[in-house]
Amino acid sequence: MVIPVNEPLLGSDELALVQECVTSGWVSSAGRFLEEFEQGFAAYCGRRFGVAMNTGTSALIAALRALDLPPGSEVLLPTFTIISCALACLESQLVPVFADADAETWCLDVSQVERKLTARTRAIMPVHIYGHPAEMDRILEIASRHELAVVEDFAEAIGSTYHGRRCGSFGDVSCTSFYANKTITTGEGGMCVTDSEELASRLRSLRNLCFLPGQRFVHRELGFNFRMTNIQAAIGLAQLGRINQHVARKIEIGRSYSRRLQFLEQRGLIRLCAVRPWVQSTYWMFGLVLEEKLDVEASTVLDALAERGIEARPFFFPLHLQPALRALPWYREERLPVAQRLAQRGLYLPSGLTLAEKDIEQVVAILEETLGSFR
Ligand SMILES: *Cc1c(COP(=O)(O)O)cnc(C)c1O
């Protein structure tokens, strides 16, 4: 039997709403579930507007485009994140500038941010990694002092809070994903949330090919087809109805792993994410870093776990080392040692909503045995 790294938690509510899409014929991007899902999810994040997208990557692309920054402007973002963040910059001819990760929380190391600002920096993109919120007070303070736009990526932190405030509430535009492994899912999907009516309306236009209102098929600007379907929104709406349970279960799983893995941390074999006292992490994926005592890289441990039926995954490969970015004219070789070490020695364990307590127990037991063999 394999314990999967993730499984979406879907139920009869999803089925009923999807069935309504099919029987009513509202299967494209028009239909009542879209608006309900947008408004409901935006409200959950404490925002005025939600603009649903076909993926989280699309949400990031649209968000950066909506800001209308001059081409060549720099965007500061963590190197320890998904390629989508860099991709979104490139789509609008913006230059991503990478900062290293914090060794304890794995989020953007804020102390690096100011050193990397230049006269061309126009935006900052904090990413909450594996459910732990980035250091938002300091990021917002720097952004306000240097007049930078903030695009928040909270794909991994739906429901996480920072000083009691929900992730998704911090950016000029905040972007999330509803991919199947996210805290609520629409299969594929994403959303931008914002308090700005102007940005919301730009995002809606960009999502739908920038049709001119009143002059259909005339385009003053090139947009995208990033529309979410009513079917996706139906699933999302059903998931939104259970979001508090999903978030609570994520937190339970995270706490259970933390408790059960403490002894391996105390023995100096692994390091867990340091959860700051002022945040509530939702432990989107439960990560750990192999300590130097273990003479092994994450990939070897992952293979050994897979052999025993545990589906775990490596950490992000840092953006500043991505082969696909090296060929670009602005690319500059640099060493960001924390992210590089995380990539070599970090992995995350099965963390899906369907995980039972006995699965967690089994994962921990097999992990202990596996690590024991590498001492
Ligand atoms: C999942 C994710 C995205 C976007 O994912 P899509 O697969 O395009 O929906 C963006 N940023 C982060 C940090 C993510 O984890």
Side-chain angles (χ1 to χ4, degrees):
M1 212 196 67
V2 173
I3 299 183
V5 68
N6 177 77
E7 251 178 351
L9 185 60
L10 299 158
S12 54
D13 298 343
E14 283 81 347
L15 205 55
L17 297 192
V18 168
Q19 188 158 22
E20 187 180 321
C21 296
V22 174
T23 51
S24 67
W26 292 101
V27 292
S28 78
S29 61
R32 76 174 178 102
F33 295 134
L34 270 162
E35 259 180 49
E36 269 188 65
F37 180 47
E38 287 180 333
Q39 285 168 8
F41 186 75
Y44 175 81
C45 301
R47 306 309 297 257
R48 290 179 66 203
F49 305 100
V51 184
M53 302 280 171
N54 60 348
T55 69
T57 302
S58 301
L60 288 166
I61 294 172
L64 280 180
R65 182 65 61 88
L67 293 174
D68 266 331
L69 303 175
S73 299
E74 293 174 5
V75 180
L76 219 129
L77 68 155
T79 189
F80 190 67
T81 182
I82 194 165
I83 191 74
S84 311
C85 300
L87 201 64
C89 300
L90 302 180
E91 281 289 327
S92 291
Q93 283 135 43
L94 305 171
V95 176
V97 174
F98 304 116
D100 206 351
D102 179 286
E104 296 190 339
T105 65
W106 313 335
C107 291
L108 186 63
D109 176 354
V110 186
S111 70
Q112 290 215 344
V113 167
E114 265 174 303
R115 276 191 280 134
K116 294 228 158 181
L117 298 178
T118 75
R120 288 178 306 279
T121 315
R122 289 285 178 278
I124 180 164
M125 186 191 280
V127 185
H128 313 298
I129 300 295
Y130 304 144
H132 190 293
E135 206 40 78
M136 289 313 302
D137 277 353
R138 291 176 65 199
I139 291 168
L140 292 178
E141 189 272 314
I142 292 169
S144 126
R145 192 147 38 86
H146 297 273
E147 293 178 45
L148 310 177
V150 178
V151 174
E152 177 190 9
D153 179 343
F154 70 112
E156 304 186 357
I158 293 173
S160 297
T161 62
Y162 175 87
H163 285 298
R165 190 170 150 191
R166 274 202 183 126
C167 291
S169 69
F170 292 100
D172 294 293
V173 183
S174 300
C175 304
T176 199
S177 162
F178 304 120
Y179 181 64
N181 66 10
K182 298 297 168 25
T183 301
I184 65 167
T185 184
T186 59
E188 298 280 356
M191 201 183 293
C192 297
V193 293
T194 179
D195 293 326
S196 156
E197 191 159 11
E198 195 186 322
L199 281 174
S201 116
R202 265 224 18 94
L203 289 164
R204 289 210 173 89
S205 173
L206 285 166
R207 161 178 78 176
N208 190 25
L209 299 168
C210 293
F211 281 109
L212 273 186
Q215 250 188 316
R216 205 159 174 85
F217 301 118
V218 179
H219 304 265
R220 291 224 185 88
E221 191 187 354
L222 298 177
F224 308 95
N225 178 352
F226 285 166
R227 299 184 302 255
M228 177 184 268
T229 67
N230 198 46
I231 306 174
Q232 287 165 288
I235 297 174
L237 195 59
Q239 293 263 304
L240 186 61
R242 290 197 313 275
I243 193 165
N244 292 332
Q245 284 109 291
H246 283 210
V247 168
R249 181 63 194 138
K250 279 284 188 196
I251 293 173
E252 257 174 30
I253 293 171
R255 288 192 178 146
S256 176
Y257 269 132
S258 307
R259 209 169 48 241
R260 292 170 191 279
L261 290 172
Q262 236 170 34
F263 75 102
L264 290 177
E265 197 172 34
Q266 279 156 5
R267 283 194 219 154
L269 298 183
I270 61 170
R271 266 276 285 281
L272 305 180
C273 178
V275 181
R276 298 295 182 220
W278 50 88
V279 313
Q280 175 63 67
S281 175
T282 45
Y283 306 90
W284 172 63
M285 289 291 167
F286 196 90
L288 59 89
V289 179
L290 307 168
E291 289 278 53
E292 314 304 338
K293 257 196 198 175
L294 291 167
D295 185 25
V296 66
E297 295 205 339
S299 55
T300 312
V301 173
L302 288 169
D303 290 343
L305 289 174
E307 252 170 58
R308 310 248 346 238
I310 307 294
E311 215 181 58
R313 291 279 184 268
F315 271 11
F316 291 120
F317 186 82
L319 297 184
H320 74 282
L321 299 178
Q322 292 291 346
L325 301 182
R326 279 178 188 271
L328 297 169
W330 47 262
Y331 184 84
R332 158 170 83 71
E333 191 85 41
E334 64 184 322
R335 239 180 69 75
L336 298 173
V338 176
Q340 289 175 219
R341 180 170 178 277
L342 289 175
Q344 273 174 0
R345 307 194 64 95
L347 60 94
Y348 61 80
L349 300 173
S351 306
L353 287 159
T354 58
L355 204 66
E357 206 50 44
K358 65 165 176 31
D359 297 327
I360 300 176
E361 217 172 294
Q362 192 179 345
V363 171
V364 170
I366 292 176
L367 180 70
E368 184 193 358
E369 284 170 32
T370 306
L371 296 185
S373 64
F374 292 115
R375 291 192 65 179

